[in-house]
């Protein structure tokens, strides 16, 4: 999960640092452009009518070069100015002070025009905490841009180009009919090189990436590189079916795009209010694997396994516990965790949701009133574990563990041991078979005593809790 999360940020191409005398100097360099000749489309409020007038059949009959020439004018390059970060991740000051010139980071991303008056969609992480945004069109005209709204949950941002008008607009399609094998093209600005086209196919749909908020990405082998993030994924007819979002840090030809249907659902609210209000259930959950189903004594893979309950949140008030499995929402069976996430993304604060969940093999019911959404940054106690010398010794399970602020930190794993391939060095074991772990020595003793049993561990990995099942050997 950590590699994928890091990969999402890697799609923004950083161009390093450069001196900046004053933020206001950028405005003087951005002169209002003349009107762009060409076809103008309907405004963004008519979501799927915002396309150039060529019919789908005509676009489908185009050669690939003609199709690229047709869609390239809707793709933009986004340059952001950001304050350099301190080693601990905090942003530094954004403006000059005491007569000195503060150095800033310049980063490159991509986006695409969705309304002729200059509305541009991109990824929220492309914008980040930028204090200056410049958007360049395919004809090399540049505009200063402001943020209309952003949705961190889907990693989407909406920009407005100041002084722009009569721009060519992307045709927004649907990601619902997309199938593995469908041809796609990606256009963006990798490494700041300028508009670049790559071609590939859809490798998979509804791909879980373990990023929590959305587990239904389109996977493609079309090359996506730093600088492509926020750019469009086109189908063979030139319609946008996704937004380039992430790459897999350890693989080649493994890239991910946010399905456009997810964006279209929240776009009117994002444009109107600048944000998307969602109800908060106050729990984290994961997919139930076959091994977890066996250890949990479920009839098969089903539902969403609760991994963490937020203190004083809606879930905690109703008594939910890690290890509970949500199997139904509003009478609709939950087969996969991503289905629960999708249902909850559509819920609003104050909505009441009827849930059915399993605990110790028995079905239970609860009606939950959702709270307003809030950030879910891990607490400092989860991020900053104590760095102590390992205590305990390797035992039949094959791990060496040390004390952590909560639970026990895995320091080493013996090859070919039961833990190999399941636990990772740096994992913090929170629970073992439903009981809290009280440090390295406690974990070592309990693993040794349970050497020939199925084990259910709740661990924190890269800041997020998850369950792991280890069958008996």
């Amino acid at each position: 999960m950590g590699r994928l999360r890091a990969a999402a940020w890697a799609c923004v191409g950083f161009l390093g640092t450069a001196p900046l005398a004053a933020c206001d100097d950028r405005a003087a360099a951005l002169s209002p452009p003349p009107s762009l000749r060409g076809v103008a489309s309907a405004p963004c409020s008519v979501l799927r009518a915002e396309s150039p007038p060529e019919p789908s059949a005509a676009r489908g009959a185009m050669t690939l070069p003609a199709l690229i020439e047709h869609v390239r004018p809707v793709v933009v390059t986004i340059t952001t100015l950001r304050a350099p970060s301190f080693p601990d991740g905090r942003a530094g000051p954004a403006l000059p002070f005491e007569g000195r010139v503060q150095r800033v980071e310049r980063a490159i991303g991509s986006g695409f025009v969705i309304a002729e008056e200059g509305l541009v969609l991109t990824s929220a992480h492309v914008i980040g905490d930028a204090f200056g945004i410049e958007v360049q069109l395919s004809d090399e005209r540049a505009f200063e841009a402001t943020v209309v709204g952003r949705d961190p949950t889907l990693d989407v941002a909406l920009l407005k180009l100041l002084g722009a008008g009569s721009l060519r607009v992307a045709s927004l399609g649907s990601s619902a009919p997309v199938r593995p094998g469908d041809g796609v093209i990606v256009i963006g600005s990798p490494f700041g090189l300028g508009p670049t086209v790559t071609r590939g196919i859809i490798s998979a749909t509804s791909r879980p990436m373990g990023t929590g908020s959305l587990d239904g990405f389109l996977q493609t082998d079309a090359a996506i590189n730093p600088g492509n993030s926020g750019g469009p994924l086109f189908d063979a007819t030139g319609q946008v079916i996704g937004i380039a979002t992430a790459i897999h840090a350890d693989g080649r030809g493994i890239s991910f795009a946010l399905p456009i249907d997810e964006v279209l659902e929240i776009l009117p609210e994002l444009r109107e209010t600048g944000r998307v209000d969602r109800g908060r259930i106050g729990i984290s959950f994961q997919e139930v694997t076959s091994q977890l189903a066996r250890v949990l004594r479920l009839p098969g893979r089903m539902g969403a396994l609760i991994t963490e309950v937020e203190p004083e949140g809606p879930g905690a008030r109703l008594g939910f516990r890690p290890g509970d499995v949500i199997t139904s929402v509003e009478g609709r069976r939950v087969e996969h965790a991503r289905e629960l996430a999708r249902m909850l993304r559509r819920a609003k604060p104050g909505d009441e949701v009827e849930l059915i969940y399993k605990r110790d093999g028995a079905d239970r019911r609860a009606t939950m009133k959702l709270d307003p959404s809030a950030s879910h940054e891990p607490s400092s106690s989860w991020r900053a574990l104590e760095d102590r010398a390992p205590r305990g010794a390797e035992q039949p399970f094959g791990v060496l563990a040390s004390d952590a602020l909560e639970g026990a930190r895995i320091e080493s794993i013996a090859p070919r041991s039961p833990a190999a391939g399941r636990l990772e060095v740096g994992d913090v074991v929170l629970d073992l078979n439903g009981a809290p772990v009280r440090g390295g020595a406690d974990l070592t003793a309990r693993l040794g005593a349970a050497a020939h049993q199925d084990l259910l561990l709740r661990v924190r990995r890269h800041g997020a809790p998850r369950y792991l099942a280890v069958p008996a050997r």
Side-chain angles (χ1 to χ4, degrees), residues 287-368:
E287 198 77 15
V288 176
T289 65
S290 298
Q291 290 181 338
L292 285 172
R294 171 186 167 186
V295 175
L296 293 168
R297 293 177 173 80
L298 297 174
R301 295 185 58 176
M302 58 185 297
L305 175 60
I306 296 178
T307 59
E308 186 173 36
V309 179
E310 178 185 323
E312 302 180 2
R317 291 196 294 268
L318 289 176
F320 279 99
R321 301 193 310 225
D324 292 343
V325 180
I326 297 176
T327 58
S328 174
V329 177
E330 291 293 303
R332 297 175 57 187
R333 184 178 174 87
V334 176
E335 298 286 353
H336 300 281
R338 62 178 177 269
E339 296 172 358
L340 175 60
R342 189 175 298 116
M343 295 174 188
L344 294 176
R345 281 200 306 275
R346 297 186 174 99
K348 295 296 183 182
D351 286 355
E352 291 190 347
V353 180
E354 184 178 342
L355 305 172
I356 298 177
Y357 62 100
K358 286 186 177 293
R359 178 182 294 171
D360 300 327
D363 285 336
R364 300 189 178 204
R365 293 178 178 270
T367 300
M368 178 181 297

Side-chain angles (χ1 to χ4, degrees), residues 143-335:
F143 296 84
E144 189 173 8
T146 60
V147 178
V148 175
R150 68 180 83 202
D151 179 22
T153 298
L154 288 186
D155 189 21
V156 172
L158 183 63
L159 306 179
K160 175 67 171 71
L161 310 190
L162 303 181
S166 300
L167 301 184
R168 284 282 298 273
V169 178
S171 174
L172 305 183
S174 173
S175 49
V178 173
R179 299 177 300 171
D182 286 348
V184 292
I185 60 174
V186 173
I187 303 180
S189 299
F191 304 103
L193 294 174
T196 300
V197 181
T198 58
R199 181 186 185 188
I201 63 169
I202 294 293
S203 305
T205 60
S206 298
R207 177 66 77 194
M209 282 186 6
T211 54
S213 300
L214 175 67
D215 271 351
F217 289 85
L218 301 176
Q219 181 181 328
T220 178
D221 66 351
I224 294 177
N225 292 291
N228 277 116
S229 210
L233 178 73
F234 294 102
D235 66 11
T237 69
Q239 292 193 312
V240 178
I241 59 171
I243 299 178
T245 300
I247 56 178
H248 196 293
D250 295 333
R252 293 184 178 179
I254 304 177
S255 304
F256 301 94
L258 174 67
I260 195 64
D261 286 357
E262 298 283 348
V263 181
L264 292 176
E265 283 189 1
I266 58 96
L267 188 53
E269 184 177 3
L270 189 66
R271 184 179 182 181
E272 179 69 23
T273 68
R275 64 182 187 276
V276 179
D277 290 325
R278 293 184 175 88
R280 178 169 57 92
I281 195 172
I283 61 174
S284 300
F285 49 86
Q286 70 173 78
E287 198 77 15
V288 176
T289 65
S290 298
Q291 290 181 338
L292 285 172
R294 171 186 167 186
V295 175
L296 293 168
R297 293 177 173 80
L298 297 174
R301 295 185 58 176
M302 58 185 297
L305 175 60
I306 296 178
T307 59
E308 186 173 36
V309 179
E310 178 185 323
E312 302 180 2
R317 291 196 294 268
L318 289 176
F320 279 99
R321 301 193 310 225
D324 292 343
V325 180
I326 297 176
T327 58
S328 174
V329 177
E330 291 293 303
R332 297 175 57 187
R333 184 178 174 87
V334 176
E335 298 286 353

Side-chain angles (χ1 to χ4, degrees), residues 89-101:
R90 293 180 294 114
L95 298 173
F97 57 95
E98 298 296 333
R100 293 179 292 167
V101 177

